Amino acid sequence: MSDTTVQAPVRSLATTTPPVTPNTVLARATPTGNLAIALSPDGVAAESIRSARAHLIAQHLRDGRRSLAVCAPAQGAGCSFVAANLAAAIAQTGMKVLLIDANFRDPSVGSYFRTERPSAGLYECLADPSLPIGSVVNEDPIPNLSVIFAGQPGPEPQEMLGGGVFKLFMEQCMRDYDLTIADTPPGNRFADARRVASVMRYAMIVTRRNHTYLRDVKTMVAELTADRARVIGTYLNDY
């Protein structure tokens, strides 16, 4: 993808730990009890996630696609649950997966991966392009999975996600990982999910039984398609 508005150096996601700068806080992430695929692997929720994993590998990853924005039409569908558990499930197959919390409105990936102290994350990288991406990557909370938290969101989150720096950031992630998954805020309240999906090019919509309205799903599909993001499917969340 081309970009003529922002010129920035390519930043490495090298696995070696970068030096800690004054703007960087490194913290080891560990799974919490909400990560069903790792801590309740025999449960119904984990089995549902594995079914989604099989479909995603067969219909998405084998075609060489390396990115996925996980979106929901409204609050309460379980978007973060699906994003975190699906990322962990795919990592269990041996693929190198990066999970990014791109929800600056109500960051929730931290409910699935715990750190001992607040961690710098996506917002800090977008606000300061000189910050090495590797300095905000929490490696191997489970094998083959890395996590970038939202960080400490400040003003103008939508503009941060819509700028050229975010585009360059995501392109680097997609080069360095087999799959990059991003969690996003609800689509009926913010345009952030549309911006993230348009950069990542592919999206999956999460719905919840007896909670999500069909008209809202249709609206979100139309909006994402208009932004040239391909909706690869929906996930019906009962958990």
Side-chain angles (χ1 to χ4, degrees), residues 113-202:
F113 299 96
R114 180 186 299 110
T115 57
E116 296 179 356
R117 57 188 182 275
S119 177
L122 176 60
Y123 192 90
E124 285 79 6
C125 268
L126 301 184
D128 180 8
S130 67
L131 187 66
I133 296 178
S135 67
V136 300
V137 174
N138 292 266
E139 295 182 348
D140 295 329
I142 65 172
N144 303 309
L145 177 65
S146 296
V147 178
I148 295 178
F149 294 103
Q152 307 299 314
E156 301 181 340
Q158 187 171 316
E159 286 71 16
M160 284 288 188
L161 294 172
V165 174
F166 177 66
K167 189 175 183 181
L168 292 171
F169 177 95
M170 291 306 306
E171 287 175 347
Q172 184 66 46
C173 294
M174 288 185 276
R175 282 193 293 267
D176 285 15
Y177 287 86
D178 297 322
L179 178 65
T180 299
I181 294 179
D183 184 30
T184 64
N188 66 345
R189 297 184 59 194
F190 311 104
D192 302 23
R194 296 177 60 180
R195 291 177 180 265
V196 174
S198 68
V199 170
M200 301 188 77
R201 300 190 293 274
Y202 302 100

Side-chain angles (χ1 to χ4, degrees), residues 223-236:
E223 290 174 345
L224 293 174
T225 301
D227 291 336
R228 299 184 179 180
R230 180 174 177 178
V231 179
I232 67 166
T234 61
Y235 180 91
L236 180 60

Side-chain angles (χ1 to χ4, degrees), residues 2-103:
S2 62
D3 184 273
T4 58
T5 60
V6 174
Q7 298 296 324
V10 174
R11 301 184 295 187
S12 175
L13 278 166
T15 56
T16 55
T17 303
V20 179
T21 70
N23 295 323
T24 304
V25 179
L26 296 178
R28 175 73 176 179
T30 56
T32 72
N34 295 324
L35 194 69
I37 195 69
L39 300 178
S40 302
D42 298 325
V44 177
E47 183 59 33
S48 177
I49 290 291
R50 283 192 290 270
S51 295
R53 175 185 67 186
H55 176 80
L56 192 63
I57 290 174
Q59 303 296 327
H60 189 68
L61 297 177
R62 286 182 181 169
D63 288 337
R65 301 166 184 166
R66 303 170 69 92
S67 58
L68 186 66
V70 180
C71 309
Q75 187 76 24
C79 190
S80 300
F81 171 86
V82 173
N85 279 280
L86 188 59
I90 295 173
Q92 288 176 343
T93 69
M95 293 185 182
K96 188 179 178 184
V97 181
L98 175 64
L99 172 65
I100 299 176
D101 193 343
N103 184 352

